[in-house]
C-alpha cells in the first residue's frame, strides 16, 4: 500500500504543471475553451438556432442571446431526457443529475455529458488530490480508504438509454476502477435511497475500515459520525480511524460546522479542503492550507461570465469576463459548459478574493437573501455574524435559518432566526446582541435600517431543540445528498413551517 500511495501521489503531482499553466495564462485558457465549446456545438439544434458558426468572440456570444435559467432550458432538457440527441450538445447524453439545491419541491435535471464527467467532475476530483498532495508531501491518503457518503437518490431509468440520480450517484456509477478501489463502502450500500438505513449500514461497515479521508456534505457527515461514536463507544473519530487525515467538504458553508469537526477529529494535523462541485460542474478547489478561498478551475470545459449582483434584475443585464472582475464585489455566476448549458445562471453568488491567481469564495444564492426592508443581507453576512457571536459566547451552531418579520401595525419589522445549537451560548442574550452588532458592522444597509429601531428591531431568535431541522427535512422527504437547510429566505415559508413543527403541529 505504501508503494501504491507513493506512485499515485507522484502521478497526481504531474498535473501541477498544467494547473500552474492556467494560473499564469487565465484569460488565454478561458478564450481557448470558449472557442472549443462554440465549435463543438455549432451543428447542434441550439448552435444552429443561434448561429454559432458566425460567432467570432465572447462579446458577440454575449450579445447573441440572453442569460438562461433552468426554466428557459427546461423544454430542451426534457426532450433530451426522452432520448433526443444533438439538442444542446453534440455527444450522446444519457445521464442527468437530479438537483433540488434547497427543500424546494421542484427538481432540476442537469445533463451530464461524457466530456463533463471526464474533463470536469473527475478531473476536479483528481486535481483535489493533486493540490492536497502538493500541500502535504507526507500524505498517506492511499494507504487506506476514502469514505464517500453518497446522495439520497440512486440511479433511476428514464427510458432504455437515459438515467438520473443525485450527482454523487451518477459519478459513483461511472467512476474509473482505480478510484472505486480506494472508496468505501461498496456501491450498493452507498446508493441506498433510505438515508437512515444507509447511515446505519455505513456506520457498521466502516467502523472496521482503515479510513484515511472523508468526503461529503458536513450536515450528513455529522449524522454519520454521531452514529459511529454511539456504536463504538469512542469519544472521537480518530479513536476509530487513527489514520484519518483529510476531510473534503462542499455544498454549504463550513463556517458553522468547523468547531464541531474539531471536536470530532481533535488533531491539528487534520486537513480540511473545500470544493465547489455542483450538478452543473466542478468550479473551484481550496488550494492553500491556510486559506478558505478556492482556486477557480479554468480548464474544465467551462466558460465563465460574472453578473454584478446589483444588475441581477436589469432587463438586459451585462456580464463581465474574467479580466473585468474586481475583488470584493458580489457576482452571480454564469456558465457555458461541455454538457450544453449555455449562459446558464447557476444560482450561486461568488466574490473574488484574488485576481492573480483567480480565487473565489461562495457568498450565497441569488434567491437566498433577506431584503424585505432594503437591508440586503446575504448568506455571507449571516455566516460572519454568527461566527463572531459563537466565538464570543463559546457556542457551536448545528443548523439555522432566518426570514423577515414583517411590520405589525406601528411595530417595526425585523429578522426572525431559528437556531439549533450543538453547544448553546453561555449568555444567550449576549449572543443575540453580538449577532445584531456584527451585522450592523459588516452591512451598512442593515445598520441604516436598525437606526433607533425605526425600520428593523433587534433580531428575534428561537432556540430549536436537538434534531429539529433533521425532523423537518425528513418530513419533507429531503434527507441526505444535496438537500440542505435554506439559510436565508425573503419570505416566511421555511421559518413558519419549522415553527409549526416546533409547536408540535404537522406540516
Amino acid at each position: 500500500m505504501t508503494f501504491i500511495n507513493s506512485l499515485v501521489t507522484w502521478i497526481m503531482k504531474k498535473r501541477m504543471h498544467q494547473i500552474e499553466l492556467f494560473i499564469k495564462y487565465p484569460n488565454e485558457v478561458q478564450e481557448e475553451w470558449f472557442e472549443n465549446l462554440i465549435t463543438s456545438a455549432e451543428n447542434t439544434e441550439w448552435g444552429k438556432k443561434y448561429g454559432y458558426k458566425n460567432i467570432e468572440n465572447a462579446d458577440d456570444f454575449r450579445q447573441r442571446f440572453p442569460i438562461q435559467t433552468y426554466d428557459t432550458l427546461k423544454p430542451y432538457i426534457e426532450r433530451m431526457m426522452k432520448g433526443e440527441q444533438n439538442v444542446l450538445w453534440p455527444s450522446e447524453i444519457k445521464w442527468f443529475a437530479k438537483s433540488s439545491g434547497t427543500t424546494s419541491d421542484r427538481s432540476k435535471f442537469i445533463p451530464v455529458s461524457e466530456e463533463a464527467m471526464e474533463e470536469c467532475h473527475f478531473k476536479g476530483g483528481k486535481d483535489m488530490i493533486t493540490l492536497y498532495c502538493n500541500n502535504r508531501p507526507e500524505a498517506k491518503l492511499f494507504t487506506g480508504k476514502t469514505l464517500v457518503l453518497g446522495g439520497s437518490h440512486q440511479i433511476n431509468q428514464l427510458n432504455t438509454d437515459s438515467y438520473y440520480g443525485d450527482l454523487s450517484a451518477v459519478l459513483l456509477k461511472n467512476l474509473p476502477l482505480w478510484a472505486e478501489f480506494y472508496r468505501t463502502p461498496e456501491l450498493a450500500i452507498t446508493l441506498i435511497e433510505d438515508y437512515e438505513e444507509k447511515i446505519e449500514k455505513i456506520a457498521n461497515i466502516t467502523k472496521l475500515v482503515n479510513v484515511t479521508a472523508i468526503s461529503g456534505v458536513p450536515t450528513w457527515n455529522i449524522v454519520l459520525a454521531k452514529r459511529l461514536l454511539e456504536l463504538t463507544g469512542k469519544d472521537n473519530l480518530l479513536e476509530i480511524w487513527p489514520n484519518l487525515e483529510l476531510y473534503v467538504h462542499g455544498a454549504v458553508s463550513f463556517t458553522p460546522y468547523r468547531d464541531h469537526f474539531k471536536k470530532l477529529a481533535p488533531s491539528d494535523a487534520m486537513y480540511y479542503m473545500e470544493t465547489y462541485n455542483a450538478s452543473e460542474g466542478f468550479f473551484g478547489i481550496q488550494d492553500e492550507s491556510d486559506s478558505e478561498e478556492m482556486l477557480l478551475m479554468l480548464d474544465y470545459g467551462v466558460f465563465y461570465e460574472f453578473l454584478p449582483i446589483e444588475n441581477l434584475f436589469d432587463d438586459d443585464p451585462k456580464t463581465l469576463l474574467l479580466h473585468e472582475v474586481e475583488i470584493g464585489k458580489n457576482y452571480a455566476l454564469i456558465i457555458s459548459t461541455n454538457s450544453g448549458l449555455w449562459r446558464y445562471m447557476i444560482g450561486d453568488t461568488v466574490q473574488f478574493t484574488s485576481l492573480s491567481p483567480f480565487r473565489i469564495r461562495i457568498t450565497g444564492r441569488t434567491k437566498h437573501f433577506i431584503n424585505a426592508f432594503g437591508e440586503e443581507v446575504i448568506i455571507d453576512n449571516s455566516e460572519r455574524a454568527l461566527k463572531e457571536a459563537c466565538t464570543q459566547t463559546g457556542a457551536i451552531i448545528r443548523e439555522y435559518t432566518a426570514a423577515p418579520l414583517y411590520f405589525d401595525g406601528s411595530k417595526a419589522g425585523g429578522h426572525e432566526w431559528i437556531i439549533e445549537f450543538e453547544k448553546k451560548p453561555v449568555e444567550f442574550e449576549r449572543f443575540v446582541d453580538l449577532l445584531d452588532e456584527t451585522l450592523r458592522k459588516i452591512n451598512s444597509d442593515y445598520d441604516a435600517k436598525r437606526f433607533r429601531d425605526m425600520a428593523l428591531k433587534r433580531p428575534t431568535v428561537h432556540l430549536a431543540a436537538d434534531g429539529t431541522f433533521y425532523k423537518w427535512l425528513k418530513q419533507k422527504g429531503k434527507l441526505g445528498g444535496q438537500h440542505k437547510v435554506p439559510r436565508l429566505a425573503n419570505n416566511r415559508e421555511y421559518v413558519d413551517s419549522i415553527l409549526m413543527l416546533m409547536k408540535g403541529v404537522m406540516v
Side-chain angles (χ1 to χ4, degrees), residues 131-319:
L131 290 165
Y132 174 64
C133 291
N134 186 63
N135 291 337
R136 279 276 182 94
E138 74 283 7
K140 297 179 179 179
L141 194 65
F142 292 98
T143 60
K145 302 273 189 177
T146 296
L147 194 162
V148 180
L149 196 50
S152 57
H153 293 281
Q154 61 179 327
I155 298 302
N156 295 278
Q157 196 159 0
L158 287 161
N159 52 55
T160 54
D161 294 314
S162 299
Y163 309 87
Y164 74 88
D166 274 3
L167 175 67
S168 58
V170 171
L171 298 181
L172 285 168
K173 287 288 285 186
N174 290 277
L175 273 180
L177 287 176
W178 71 267
E180 183 64 24
F181 179 76
Y182 286 102
R183 193 189 58 75
T184 189
E186 62 182 273
L187 191 61
I189 302 297
T190 305
L191 295 182
I192 290 175
E193 195 151 3
D194 184 314
Y195 228 72
E196 291 177 323
E197 178 188 355
K198 172 157 55 181
I199 290 287
E200 189 67 22
K201 288 189 175 181
I202 291 179
N204 277 286
I205 291 169
T206 59
K207 68 182 181 181
L208 303 173
V209 176
N210 176 28
V211 173
T212 54
I214 308 172
S215 174
V217 179
T219 312
W220 307 115
N221 275 289
I222 287 175
V223 173
L224 174 62
K226 287 190 171 186
R227 185 57 186 143
L228 276 161
L229 298 181
E230 288 172 0
L231 286 172
T232 60
K234 303 296 185 182
D235 291 328
N236 62 69
L237 293 179
L238 295 180
E239 292 181 3
I240 303 171
W241 303 317
N243 298 315
L244 182 65
E245 62 179 69
L246 171 65
Y247 174 45
V248 179
H249 58 89
V252 296
S253 169
F254 195 54
T255 301
Y257 303 101
R258 187 172 298 280
D259 288 341
H260 191 86
F261 271 88
K262 286 181 179 178
K263 290 173 61 180
L264 288 173
S267 169
D268 291 337
M270 188 69 185
Y271 196 107
Y272 297 94
M273 194 172 198
E274 183 171 3
T275 63
Y276 185 4
N277 187 17
S279 298
E280 295 86 353
F282 202 128
F283 308 125
I285 304 174
Q286 182 181 332
D287 66 315
E288 295 182 315
S289 58
D290 58 350
S291 171
E292 297 178 21
E293 304 159 4
M294 288 180 285
L295 182 67
L296 187 64
M297 308 308 286
L298 301 176
D299 63 348
Y300 283 9
V302 179
F303 177 70
Y304 295 101
E305 298 175 57
F306 305 91
L307 174 60
I309 201 68
E310 60 269 21
N311 303 127
L312 185 63
F313 300 109
D314 289 357
D315 291 335
D316 184 23
K318 299 294 188 295
T319 60

